[in-house]
């Protein structure tokens, strides 16, 4: 939007003239004095917003006599509109807002270029600028909108490897799925199987944040999942290795390993997001996620997990993301395999914010002569915003290969 300075000044005068003659619009249109370039116009707007009527005596607290004369003569009396003043005001305000946002983004880009701001703060401020709006743009319900909400087919996330589970969960954009289990039950492997399977579709862009194990071990596990072979069994002449390697190098799959803060994670996600695809984020696990905000960094584990959970839930809603997280369980739940939704570590906010909660349970080892040893596992769907809760006793976990499979009996 290229508007010269004279036009901007004219638009500012016109908008102030409408506000001065139609004071009620001051509260209806969400504007701010900083959107005006001219200092006099900023002062006039502050006066109108606070006093809400024309009073020459009260104006002296905000403006000097020359400024009052300029306002009355060249703004108030010369910018009187007789029809459709609200739409004219909205049009003028929108134009000034866009000019302001362009200038702010330009300044922000320069700060980043000159390394005066880091990428985390850059994206946070950029998001704040883009979200500036002068009117409430929430849709007014109509018959057409209600019919669309009810009868339009939602595009649920299809996990081809787990068709039964996929049908139960009906995962959609903005959903927040917590997976929990005691140590050794394969919650990380379960998420990695989903991660790999979803990345095979060109409809999806998947990012995995592995905070618990090294990059080397993470890659080895991914190669095992992609090849269906045990870790450490590959040779340089093994074609299955190269096929698996190519699968995990596809553009729909992004892997991050090592310690990371919530703020850095969000910045990394936004740098790798694909607006033309369903963006799916995996965090393994939430209890290890750091925080840069000094108000929370040194607080108790419960408070930190609560803060991270709330922030990630809003992050999913804001950017249309699907987020999977791994969570530990309280030590008291380990004995007797008595896991419930209340077993989630710092479960208060995890239970509230999650749209789905899955517990991996009831493991026993099966050894056969003609197959690899495997664990029988149940997935307890104990919270499901989009469907039924149920216990799905269909799963096997081959630990040596990090492979989860769904077997209908």
């Amino acid at each position: 939007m290229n508007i010269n300075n004279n036009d901007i000044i004219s638009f500012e005068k016109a908008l102030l003239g409408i506000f001065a003659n139609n004071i009620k619009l001051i509260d209806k249109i969400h504007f701010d004095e900083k959107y005006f370039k001219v200092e006099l116009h900023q002062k006039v707007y502050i006066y109108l917003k606070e006093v809400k009527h024309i009073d020459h005596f009260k104006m002296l607290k905000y403006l000097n006599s020359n400024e009052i004369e300029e306002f009355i003569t060249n703004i108030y009396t010369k910018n009187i509109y007789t029809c459709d003043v609200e739409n004219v005001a909205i049009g003028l305000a929108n134009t000034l807002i866009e000019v302001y946002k362009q200038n702010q983004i330009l300044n922000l880009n320069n700060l980043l270029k000159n390394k005066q701001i880091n990428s985390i703060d850059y994206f946070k401020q950029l998001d704040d600028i883009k979200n500036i709006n002068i009117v409430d743009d929430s849709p007014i319900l109509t018959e057409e909108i209600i019919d669309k909400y009810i009868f339009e087919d939602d595009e649920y996330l299809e996990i081809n490897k787990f068709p039964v589970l996929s049908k139960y969960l009906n995962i959609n954009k903005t959903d927040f799925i917590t997976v929990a289990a005691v140590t050794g039950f394969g919650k990380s492997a379960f998420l990695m199987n989903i991660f790999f399977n979803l990345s095979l579709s060109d409809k999806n862009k998947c990012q995995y944040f592995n905070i618990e194990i090294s990059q080397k071990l993470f890659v080895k596990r991914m190669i095992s999942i992609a090849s269906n072979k045990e870790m450490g069994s590959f040779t340089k002449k093994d074609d299955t290795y190269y096929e698996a390697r190519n699968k995990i190098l596809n553009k729909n799959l992004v892997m991050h390993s090592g310690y990371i803060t919530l703020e850095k994670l969000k910045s990394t996600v936004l740098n790798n997001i694909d607006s033309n695809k369903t963006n799916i984020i995996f965090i393994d696990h939430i209890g290890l996620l750091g925080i840069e905000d000094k108000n929370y960094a040194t607080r108790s584990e419960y408070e930190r997990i609560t803060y991270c959970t709330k922030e990630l839930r809003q992050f999913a809603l804001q950017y249309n993301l699907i987020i999977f997280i791994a969570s530990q369980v309280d030590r008291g739940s380990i004995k007797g395999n008595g896991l419930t939704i209340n077993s989630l570590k710092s479960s208060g906010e995890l239970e509230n914010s999650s749209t789905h909660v899955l517990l991996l349970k009831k493991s026993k080892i099966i050894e056969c002569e003609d197959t690899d040893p495997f664990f029988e596992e149940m997935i307890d769907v104990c919270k499901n915003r989009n469907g039924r809760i149920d216990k799905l006793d269909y799963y096997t976990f081959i630990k040596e290969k990090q492979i989860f499979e769904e077997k209908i009996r």
Side-chain angles (χ1 to χ4, degrees), residues 211-354:
I211 314 175
E212 193 167 24
I213 60 175
S214 69
Q215 176 83 345
K216 181 178 180 179
L217 181 56
F218 184 67
V219 170
K220 282 185 174 182
R221 289 184 177 182
M222 288 300 299
I223 290 291
S224 289
I225 291 169
S227 64
N228 196 22
K229 294 186 66 174
E230 291 185 19
M231 289 185 292
S233 65
F234 298 103
T235 67
K236 291 185 177 180
K237 295 181 179 180
D238 191 342
D239 289 340
T240 58
Y241 163 69
Y242 296 102
E243 291 172 3
R245 185 185 67 180
N246 290 337
K247 287 178 182 178
I248 70 169
L249 287 174
N250 80 72
K251 62 182 182 299
N252 299 321
L253 180 155
V254 181
M255 298 183 291
H256 309 268
S257 288
Y259 173 79
I260 194 169
T261 63
L262 171 67
E263 294 84 355
K264 180 63 176 176
L265 182 146
K266 290 164 75 173
S267 174
T268 305
V269 167
L270 294 177
N271 274 305
N272 288 285
I273 210 163
D274 189 331
S275 59
N276 297 315
K277 298 182 179 182
T278 299
N279 290 275
I280 310 157
I281 314 303
F282 296 79
I283 302 170
D284 186 6
H285 60 82
I286 192 167
L288 296 177
L289 197 57
I291 304 174
E292 291 180 20
D293 189 330
K294 294 180 180 178
N295 292 320
Y296 291 92
T298 58
R299 294 193 182 184
S300 68
E301 182 181 29
Y302 181 91
E303 290 176 307
R304 287 188 289 104
I305 291 178
T306 296
Y307 173 74
C308 288
T309 302
K310 288 181 177 180
E311 287 291 306
L312 289 169
R313 182 70 187 115
Q314 289 304 310
F315 192 50
L317 291 167
Q318 189 171 9
Y319 291 99
N320 239 15
L321 308 173
I322 295 171
I323 296 181
F324 286 84
I325 66 165
S327 171
Q328 292 183 318
V329 295
D330 289 326
R331 292 182 180 273
S333 302
I334 296 176
K335 294 182 180 180
N337 200 33
L339 291 184
T340 69
I341 195 170
N342 296 320
S343 303
L344 299 177
K345 202 164 190 180
S346 302
S347 64
E349 193 53 46
L350 279 172
E351 182 181 344
N352 290 336
S353 291
S354 298

Side-chain angles (χ1 to χ4, degrees), residues 36-255:
F36 291 105
K37 293 187 70 173
V38 178
E39 183 181 359
L40 169 62
H41 298 165
Q42 294 176 354
K43 293 165 73 173
V44 170
Y45 180 78
I46 291 170
Y47 163 75
L48 292 173
K49 193 173 181 68
E50 293 183 2
V51 178
K52 297 220 170 38
H53 65 275
I54 305 301
D55 184 315
H56 291 72
F57 180 74
K58 289 184 179 180
M59 277 185 196
L60 290 171
K61 293 182 180 180
Y62 299 83
L63 309 165
N64 61 42
S65 56
N66 290 332
E67 289 172 334
I68 293 174
E69 183 179 356
E70 170 69 15
F71 164 59
I72 297 297
T73 304
N74 293 317
I75 297 177
Y76 181 51
T77 58
K78 287 188 177 180
N79 292 282
I80 299 175
Y81 293 78
T82 57
C83 61
D84 208 12
V85 290
E86 184 173 339
N87 282 332
V88 173
I90 290 172
L92 290 166
N94 270 323
T95 300
L96 295 176
I97 285 281
E98 288 305 313
V99 172
Y100 172 83
K101 288 163 72 171
Q102 284 185 2
N103 290 333
Q104 291 298 304
I105 291 172
L106 182 62
N107 292 336
L108 198 59
N109 289 338
N110 287 334
L111 289 174
L112 183 65
K113 182 179 179 181
N114 296 325
K115 298 182 179 180
Q116 295 175 271
I117 189 173
N118 60 38
S119 60
I120 298 170
D121 290 334
Y122 172 82
F123 282 108
K124 183 178 180 180
Q125 292 183 40
L126 182 63
D127 194 49
D128 290 340
I129 294 168
K130 289 183 176 180
N131 285 332
I132 293 174
N133 198 1
I134 60 167
V135 292
D136 183 5
D137 57 358
S138 302
I140 298 173
L141 283 179
T142 64
E143 292 178 354
E144 290 76 14
I145 290 176
I146 294 175
D147 290 347
K148 182 179 180 181
Y149 287 162
I150 300 301
F151 300 116
E152 184 180 60
D153 289 333
D154 291 319
E155 293 185 12
Y156 293 110
L157 187 68
E158 186 174 357
I159 309 172
N160 294 326
K161 186 176 180 67
F162 304 127
V164 174
L165 182 65
S166 184
K167 186 176 181 181
Y168 262 84
L169 300 182
N170 288 326
I171 296 171
N172 210 330
K173 291 177 182 178
T174 75
D175 278 348
F176 189 90
I177 304 98
T178 294
V179 176
V182 300
T183 302
F185 275 57
K187 61 180 178 293
S188 295
F190 177 67
L191 287 180
M192 289 167 68
N193 275 257
I194 296 175
F195 169 63
F196 174 68
N197 184 250
L198 291 175
S199 71
L200 297 176
S201 170
D202 281 335
K203 294 181 180 179
N204 304 322
K205 180 66 177 287
C206 302
Q207 301 183 56
Y208 199 110
F209 293 86
N210 153 55
I211 314 175
E212 193 167 24
I213 60 175
S214 69
Q215 176 83 345
K216 181 178 180 179
L217 181 56
F218 184 67
V219 170
K220 282 185 174 182
R221 289 184 177 182
M222 288 300 299
I223 290 291
S224 289
I225 291 169
S227 64
N228 196 22
K229 294 186 66 174
E230 291 185 19
M231 289 185 292
S233 65
F234 298 103
T235 67
K236 291 185 177 180
K237 295 181 179 180
D238 191 342
D239 289 340
T240 58
Y241 163 69
Y242 296 102
E243 291 172 3
R245 185 185 67 180
N246 290 337
K247 287 178 182 178
I248 70 169
L249 287 174
N250 80 72
K251 62 182 182 299
N252 299 321
L253 180 155
V254 181
M255 298 183 291

